């Protein structure tokens, strides 16, 4: 690959920076998760080729010239849009994260996964470009009694989610570009729904149909899946918002400090409710906290980088970060979260992560 390669690639010395999967997670290879290598990334934007990918039924190969978006239901004028037509509407670009509500699912009862790639790597953050959903809804003319919208995909999963009308009219978008180029096939090429701050599953990829109605459709993804089984046996439904969460990416699980001395503790924080207000860092398992520096820009429903200079004197430590968002919400410990949620939850684990640094400088995943 020489100078002038038609599409550039990272240096060959960076070949270990890659998405990784867990081969025992799914019984069939059409269902998969490829995790973002958070330990190797810098800043808040995830490179397109490293954005985590969660597929329920593989990646369809869609010709954008043949793709259509239908908007119908409780509307004055049902319309069928081509990609060319969608791209003529006034566009907006926004930087937002997408986090799978299953991020951290294996960590509910004990520390399991060895690296931050697998404990927190079902998240990515991109500059998304597209059309506000409210713009398209104006075009079709939504009836007054409309309260929900069904978003349906064109992949073999036939994934469908009911989205509250308030979200559709607030900041939801129909996006066709990501970090300067058309979205990747893995991210829903040629068109995906973006519901900023809502659990990954609500961001329907390969979007082909929007139906306006009065009630949620109770699809598989909002009944049998993506509900939270509470300790009293009830299932909490429509837990859309990704609550505030943070994690230290350096030093993190699997890494090795070669010598004592000065380092920078680095990490990421985010909230589906808005902006990150503050991040605290502890090196003694949460007994003492110090406020970390936030890197600008701090954007709403977007990854925020934090850092703290720190000197390691060779002692064993327990490293943690804790985010507080602009709503005042404080990221809970895993013990606090389990008290409310029990241990049978699958989704929505936003607990504080603990990394243990031993006297040899080895970092591992622990729960305390
Ligand atoms: N059509 C379709 N949309 C989908 C999915 C899917 O499998 N098919 N996966 C969902 C889930 S569970 C998540 S977490 C996000 C992941 O988005 P990404 O693959 O772009 O990271 O897409 C969501 N949208
Ligand atoms: Mo997901």
């Amino acid at each position: 690959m020489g100078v002038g390669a038609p599409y550039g690639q990272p240096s060959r010395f960076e070949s270990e920076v890659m998405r990784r999967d867990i081969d025992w997670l799914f019984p069939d290879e059409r269902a998969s998760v490829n995790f973002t290598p958070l330990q190797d990334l810098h800043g808040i934007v995830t490179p397109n080729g490293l954005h985590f990918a969660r597929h329920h039924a593989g990646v369809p190969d869609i010709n954008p010239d043949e793709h259509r978006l239908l908007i119908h239901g409780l509307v004055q004028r049902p319309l069928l849009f081509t990609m060319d037509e969608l791209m003529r509407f006034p566009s907006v670009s926004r930087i937002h994260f997408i986090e799978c509500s299953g991020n951290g699912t294996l960590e509910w009862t004990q520390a399991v996964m060895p690296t931050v790639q697998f404990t927190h790597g079902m998240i990515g953050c991109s500059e998304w470009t597209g059309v506000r959903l409210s713009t398209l809804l104006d075009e079709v003319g939504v009836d007054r009694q409309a309260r929900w919208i069904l978003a349906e995909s064109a992949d073999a999963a036939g994934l469908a989610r009911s989205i509250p009308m308030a979200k559709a009219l607030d900041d939801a978008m129909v996006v066709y570009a990501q970090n300067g180029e058309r979205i990747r096939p893995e991210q829903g090429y040629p068109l995906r729904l973006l519901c900023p701050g809502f659990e990954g599953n609500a961001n329907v990829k390969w979007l082909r149909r929007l139906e306006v109605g009065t009630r949620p459709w109770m699809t598989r993804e909002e009944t049998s899946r993506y509900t939270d089984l509470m300790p009293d046996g009830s299932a909490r439904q429509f837990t859309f918002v990704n609550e505030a969460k943070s994690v230290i990416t350096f030093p993190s699980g699997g890494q090795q400090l070669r010598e004592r001395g000065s380092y920078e503790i680095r990490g990421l924080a985010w909230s589906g409710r808005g902006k990150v207000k503050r991040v605290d860092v502890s090196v003694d398992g949460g007994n003492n906290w110090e406020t970390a520096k936030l890197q600008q820009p701090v954007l709403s429903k977007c990854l925020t980088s934090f850092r703290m200079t720190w000197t390691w004197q060779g002692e064993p430590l327990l490293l943690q970060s804790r985010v507080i968002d602009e709503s005042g919400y404080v990221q809970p410990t895993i013990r606090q979260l389990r008290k409310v949620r029990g241990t049978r939850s699958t989704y929505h684990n936003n607990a504080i992560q603990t990394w243990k640094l031993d006297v040899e400088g080895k970092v591992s995943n622990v729960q305390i």
Side-chain angles (χ1 to χ4, degrees):
M1 188 91 45
V3 174
Y7 199 110
Q9 296 294 314
S11 159
R12 65 193 172 93
F13 300 106
E14 298 296 320
S15 61
E16 283 304 300
V17 180
M18 60 169 123
R19 292 193 286 226
R20 292 184 173 85
D21 60 4
I22 304 174
D23 53 10
W24 48 263
L25 210 53
F26 296 104
D28 184 301
E29 64 184 22
R30 280 166 297 188
S32 62
V33 190
N34 296 277
F35 295 76
T36 302
L38 295 177
Q39 69 283 355
D40 298 316
L41 298 185
H42 306 271
I44 58 172
V45 171
T46 313
N48 289 349
L50 296 174
H51 193 284
F52 88 101
R54 169 77 181 97
H55 311 312
H56 292 242
V59 180
D61 183 32
I62 297 176
N63 178 343
D65 296 338
E66 286 164 17
H67 192 70
R68 299 289 182 273
L69 174 67
L70 171 67
I71 309 185
H72 68 139
L74 291 179
V75 299
Q76 262 105 61
R77 288 186 301 153
L79 289 172
L80 191 63
F81 297 100
T82 64
M83 285 305 300
D84 284 347
E85 286 164 350
L86 288 174
M87 291 176 78
R88 283 172 56 191
F89 280 96
S91 59
V92 280
S93 295
R94 302 285 307 259
I95 308 180
H96 290 300
F97 71 82
I98 292 179
E99 182 187 22
C100 178
S101 39
N103 205 14
T105 184
L106 298 168
E107 309 287 315
W108 267 108
T109 49
Q110 59 189 69
V112 175
M113 301 311 288
T115 65
V116 71
Q117 180 159 16
F118 293 120
T119 57
H120 291 76
M122 280 200 248
I123 190 163
C125 187
S126 306
E127 184 200 47
W128 301 99
T129 299
V131 188
R132 295 184 72 136
L133 190 45
S134 59
T135 305
L136 297 180
L137 292 176
D138 268 355
E139 197 71 13
V140 295
V142 169
D143 286 358
R144 231 189 241 138
Q145 67 272 35
R147 293 290 175 275
W148 290 79
I149 296 193
L150 181 78
E152 182 194 73
S153 74
D155 59 335
L159 192 129
R161 283 298 301 255
S162 312
I163 307 295
M165 185 56 84
K167 183 68 176 174
L169 295 177
D170 177 19
D171 59 357
M173 293 164 71
V174 162
V175 298
Y176 44 75
Q178 177 187 13
N179 297 330
E181 60 185 4
R182 297 292 287 274
I183 56 178
R184 294 284 172 96
E186 296 97 308
Q187 263 66 60
Y189 184 89
L191 193 67
R192 100 178 284 170
L193 180 66
L194 184 75
C195 294
F198 272 23
E199 60 179 355
N201 190 262
N203 297 271
V204 176
K205 303 192 277 189
W206 311 294
L207 181 69
R208 73 168 174 200
R209 188 168 76 89
L210 293 167
E211 183 179 346
V212 178
T214 56
R215 279 178 297 185
W217 278 256
M218 301 298 173
T219 70
R220 173 186 182 270
E221 309 293 322
E222 51 208 27
T223 50
S224 135
R225 298 287 184 277
Y226 300 98
T227 57
D228 300 309
L229 190 53
M230 303 300 276
D232 68 0
S234 67
R236 195 174 68 177
Q237 215 181 352
F238 300 118
T239 312
F240 284 120
V241 177
N242 290 118
E243 296 290 0
K245 192 165 169 181
S246 71
V247 68
I248 293 173
T249 54
F250 177 83
S252 64
Q255 291 176 334
Q256 169 80 50
L257 299 189
R258 304 241 170 262
E259 52 185 12
R260 300 164 187 207
S262 61
Y263 289 93
E264 190 173 66
I265 293 177
R266 296 176 183 147
L268 294 167
W270 61 95
S271 168
R273 296 210 184 270
K275 289 182 188 173
V276 165
K277 190 164 83 191
R278 199 178 92 208
V279 179
D280 300 327
V281 169
S282 173
V283 295
D284 60 5
N287 291 318
N288 294 286
W289 295 94
E290 210 180 303
T291 298
K293 273 204 190 99
L294 300 185
Q295 170 69 58
Q296 296 296 324
V298 177
L299 302 172
S300 185
K301 306 171 189 178
C302 180
L303 291 189
T304 298
S305 312
F306 66 85
R307 55 173 68 103
M308 204 182 82
T309 51
W310 155 75
T311 304
W312 183 49
Q313 265 130 14
E315 72 277 39
L317 295 174
L318 293 169
L319 303 165
Q320 296 183 333
S321 65
R322 171 181 76 185
V323 60
I324 296 141
D325 72 13
E326 64 177 345
S327 77
Y329 178 94
V330 183
Q331 186 183 6
T333 64
I334 185 74
R335 285 166 187 273
Q336 289 169 331
L337 200 58
R338 273 197 221 112
K339 239 182 229 147
V340 180
R341 301 277 303 278
T343 52
R344 290 153 77 206
S345 272
T346 305
Y347 306 103
H348 307 111
N349 175 2
N350 67 320
I352 290 173
Q353 170 69 41
T354 308
W355 302 118
K356 182 177 137 199
L357 173 66
D358 71 14
V359 291
E360 255 89 66
K362 240 183 72 197
V363 190
S364 56
N365 180 11
V366 296
Q367 280 190 10
I368 57 172

